[in-house]
């Protein structure tokens, strides 16, 4: 089955610094790559996604890049703030509309 | 309601008992997913429904786990003869699934504790 690897598992940054989380996937037919944020004790929520026909997408302080040749995609958060502290999950969707999640990254933003 | 509803929100049971967890997706959402999340861990895929059919049951950890979805809406996840390692939060999510998964909307989860 599909395998999504996510790194790092934990990431600590100083407020104002940038954070980058990387994921690799195995299914070359994957065509949709969302990122979910899960705050402590809450449900995961979509923060940004990218489809395979584009290489980059930005939404304010958040951006996602996709390299289909290398089968990896990354989440970039600039000017991090304490409220960015959460667990972030990448995912990919294969041709069968199945969504597979990475193992998650716990981001801690220190004030 | 407007969101995905799950019940019960908390369930404490004794080892060996059966439990049923219910998920009521957003109206009109054809895709429904069950995931399991142990404390501080990732999202473990269990099963996926497209309408009433389950194209992928590969994530069910053992034959003690089963799920059904009737009328293309409500889904029930059943765990028979529960074990302590079944303790986790069981998350349900639904999606419109038109031309691709699109956004998954998660419920608040059902926290299962097996004593």
């Amino acid at each position: 089955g599909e395998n999504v690897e996510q790194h790092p598992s934990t990431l600590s940054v100083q407020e104002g610094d940038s954070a980058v989380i990387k994921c690799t996937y195995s299914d070359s037919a994957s065509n949709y790559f969302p990122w979910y944020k899960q705050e402590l004790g809450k449900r995961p929520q979509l923060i940004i996604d990218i489809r395979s026909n584009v290489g980059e997408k930005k939404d304010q302080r958040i951006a996602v890049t996709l390299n289909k040749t290398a089968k990896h995609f990354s989440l970039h958060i600039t000017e991090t703030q304490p409220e960015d502290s959460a667990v972030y999950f990448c995912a990919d969707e294969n041709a069968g509309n199945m969504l597979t999640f990475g193992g998650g990254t716990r981001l801690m933003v220190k004030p | 309601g407007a969101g995905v509803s799950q019940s019960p929100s908390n369930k404490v049971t004794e080892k060996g008992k059966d439990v049923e967890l219910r998920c009521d997706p957003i109206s009109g959402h054809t895709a429904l997913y069950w995931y399991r999340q142990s404390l501080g861990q990732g999202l473990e895929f269990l099963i996926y429904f497209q309408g009433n059919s389950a194209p992928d049951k590969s994530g069910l950890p053992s034959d003690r786990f089963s799920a059904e979805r009737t009328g293309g809406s409500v889904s029930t996840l059943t765990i028979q003869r529960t074990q302590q390692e079944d303790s986790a939060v069981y998350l349900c999510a639904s999606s419109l699934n038109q031309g691709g998964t699109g956004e998954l909307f998660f419920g608040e989860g059902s926290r299962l504790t097996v004593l």
Side-chain angles (χ1 to χ4, degrees), chain A residues 9-90:
Chain A
S9 57
T10 60
L11 178 59
S12 182
V13 300
Q14 207 65 39
E15 181 178 0
D17 287 350
S18 295
V20 180
I21 303 169
K22 299 181 179 180
C23 288
T24 60
Y25 61 98
S26 59
D27 189 347
S28 57
S30 295
N31 53 23
Y32 172 69
F33 307 90
W35 287 86
Y36 284 77
K37 176 184 181 181
Q38 186 177 30
E39 296 177 0
L40 188 62
K42 298 194 175 179
R43 70 187 88 184
Q45 291 189 299
L46 179 72
I47 55 170
I48 195 169
D49 57 14
I50 191 168
R51 297 197 181 269
S52 59
N53 56 346
V54 298
E56 182 175 359
K57 183 177 178 180
K58 291 184 75 172
D59 182 4
Q60 299 182 343
R61 296 186 297 108
I62 294 173
V64 58
T65 58
L66 171 64
N67 184 328
K68 283 217 75 179
T69 302
K71 290 193 280 190
H72 66 71
F73 55 112
S74 300
L75 177 72
H76 305 253
I77 306 174
T78 58
E79 300 171 35
T80 53
Q81 300 168 4
E83 53 264 36
D84 294 330
S85 296
V87 179
Y88 291 81
F89 293 98
C90 64

Side-chain angles (χ1 to χ4, degrees), chain B residues 86-103:
Chain B
D86 299 335
S87 296
V89 176
Y90 290 81
L91 287 164
C92 174
S94 71
S95 169
L96 273 175
N97 200 36
Q98 293 179 350
T101 298
E103 181 173 1

